[in-house]
């Protein structure tokens, strides 16, 4: 009921507001109870530095508590297509109240008509940036058709419904992805080095009133092939940054990637950005067309050379 502080406090007051008035137990602190609000204090006497006084309150909470044990987020930049491709892979678990008995599908279907309070996760809403397009939603089985995407000039919203209700203690893993216009996130500086500045949200994904916590978040930014001198900046505390290469179709050396790792992340990271600055010279933009041209030319030369070979067993005599 007192906030730990490195300094002595002259006056302090703590308020706890619960979702409802069903609070059977409250131990310690002697609070002033007004409906669903508990007030501890004010304490007008001097509170010494580092003092702590704990209280225990048991209350009813009938909503899901979503925790993502692991999130992998890929952001791929394509200069030729002018596209920013985002894919997120989630491993979710519901830390809310668990079932007392076995799950009954018939009983669950019947409750959909009167919508009782439940700690099960029924749906997820993913607010996206304006101009997002081509979303998809898959899980370990395959494509999930119980989703809806709404886009307007002001906002875009992706609504997801899992294959089954996720009760307390249950787990659900899935992946979502979408495309966006690269010009909304990338800016060219115009210097001789061809520097570009990419600014994207560190965290997007589902948003709930109760919030979502993340155990481990890995954000991988995949830059175009030929990008170099990569710099980055973010307000999110990181535990590791690693540079590497990502090879895909028609690549020669591979695309430069930067992997950012953060632990114990909460929803406040949605308002924090990730800024990546890199040099992309003019000559690097022609690496892929040259690779395609040389590949097609090699196929034609090989086909022409094979066609010129004489593979007959013996020459026919001329009469």
């Amino acid at each position: 009921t007192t906030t730990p502080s490195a300094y002595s406090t002259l006056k302090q007051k703590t308020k706890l507001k619960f979702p409802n008035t069903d609070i059977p137990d409250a131990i310690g602190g002697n609070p002033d109870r007004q409906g669903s609000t508990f007030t501890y204090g004010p304490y007008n006497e001097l509170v010494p530095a580092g003092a702590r006084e704990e209280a225990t309150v048991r209350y009813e909470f009938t909503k899901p508590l979503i925790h993502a044990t692991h999130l992998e987020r890929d952001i791929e930049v394509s200069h030729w297509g002018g596209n920013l491709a985002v894919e997120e892979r989630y491993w979710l678990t519901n830390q809310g109240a668990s079932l007392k008995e076995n799950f009954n599908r018939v009983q669950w279907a019947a409750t959909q008509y009167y919508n009782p309070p439940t700690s099960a996760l029924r749906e997820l809403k993913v607010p996206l940036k304006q101009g997002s397009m081509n979303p998809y939603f898959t899980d370990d089985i395959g494509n999930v058709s119980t989703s809806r995407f709404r886009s307007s000039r002001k906002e875009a919203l992706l609504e997801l419904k899992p294959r089954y209700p996720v009760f307390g203690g249950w787990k659900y893993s899935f992946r979502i992805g979408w495309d966006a216009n690269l010009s909304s996130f990338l800016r060219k500086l115009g210097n001789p080095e061809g520097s570009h500045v990419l600014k994207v949200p560190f965290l997007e994904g589902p948003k709930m009133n109760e919030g979502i916590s993340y155990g481990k978040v890995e954000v991988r930014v995949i830059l175009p092939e030929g990008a170099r001198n990569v710099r980055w900046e973010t307000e999110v505390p990181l535990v590791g940054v690693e540079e590497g290469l990502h090879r895909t179709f028609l690549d020669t050396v591979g695309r430069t990637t930067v992997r950012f790792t953060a632990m114990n992340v909460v929803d406040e990271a949605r308002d924090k950005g990730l800024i990546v600055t890199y040099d992309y010279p003019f000559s690097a933009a022609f690496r892929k067309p040259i690779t395609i041209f040389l590949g097609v030319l090699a196929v034609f030369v090989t086909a022409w050379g094979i066609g010129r070979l004489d593979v007959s067993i013996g020459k026919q005599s001329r009469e």
Side-chain angles (χ1 to χ4, degrees), residues 10 14 22 30 40 42-43 46 65 77 81 86 108 117 142 146 175 182 186 198 211 221 233 254 274 280 291 296 301:
L10 296 178
T14 303
D22 187 7
N30 191 21
Y40 295 88
Y43 303 111
L46 180 66
L65 293 175
V77 179
V86 181
W108 171 258
T146 53
R175 69 175 60 195
L182 183 61
L186 187 69
L198 176 70
V221 180
E233 179 182 351
L274 173 62
Y280 190 63
T291 302
V296 173
V301 171

Side-chain angles (χ1 to χ4, degrees), residues 1-7 9 12-14 43 47-53:
T1 59
T2 59
T3 302
S5 175
Y7 306 95
T9 307
Q12 187 174 140
K13 181 171 68 173
T14 303
Y43 303 111
V47 179
R52 296 184 62 182
E53 183 179 353

Side-chain angles (χ1 to χ4, degrees), residues 6 16 24 58 72 119 133 138 154 179 232 239 253 283 303 316:
L16 296 178
R58 184 167 63 93
E72 294 179 349
S119 61
M133 52 189 173
T138 62
K154 297 182 180 180
D179 295 330
W232 54 270
V239 297
V253 179
S283 58
Q316 298 179 355

Side-chain angles (χ1 to χ4, degrees), residues 259-281:
R259 185 188 301 271
F260 304 91
T261 304
M263 303 294 292
N264 300 325
V265 181
V266 292
D267 271 351
E268 281 74 6
R270 301 177 63 90
D271 301 327
K272 298 180 181 180
L274 173 62
I275 301 176
V276 179
T277 306
Y278 59 94
D279 296 339
Y280 190 63

Side-chain angles (χ1 to χ4, degrees), residues 64 66 71 88 90 92 121 123-129 155-160 174 176 178 203-214 266-271:
I66 305 305
L71 165 61
E88 298 181 342
Y90 290 86
L92 292 185
L121 175 64
E123 65 175 359
L124 293 168
K125 294 184 178 181
V126 184
L128 303 178
K129 296 295 183 180
E155 62 179 359
L157 181 64
L158 178 60
E159 299 177 351
L160 313 174
F174 64 94
I176 57 175
W178 62 89
L203 190 67
E204 288 184 274
K207 185 176 183 180
M208 303 185 65
N209 295 331
E210 296 76 25
I212 300 179
S213 59
Y214 300 84
V266 292
D267 271 351
E268 281 74 6
R270 301 177 63 90
D271 301 327

Side-chain angles (χ1 to χ4, degrees), residues 104-126:
N104 189 321
R105 172 67 70 173
V106 177
Q107 184 179 359
W108 171 258
T111 60
Q112 305 304 306
Y113 295 99
Y114 56 92
N115 196 21
T118 177
S119 61
L121 175 64
R122 297 182 177 181
E123 65 175 359
L124 293 168
K125 294 184 178 181
V126 184

Side-chain angles (χ1 to χ4, degrees), residues 78-84 180-183:
S78 175
H79 281 216
W80 273 96
N83 184 64
L84 185 76
N181 192 350
L182 183 61
S183 60

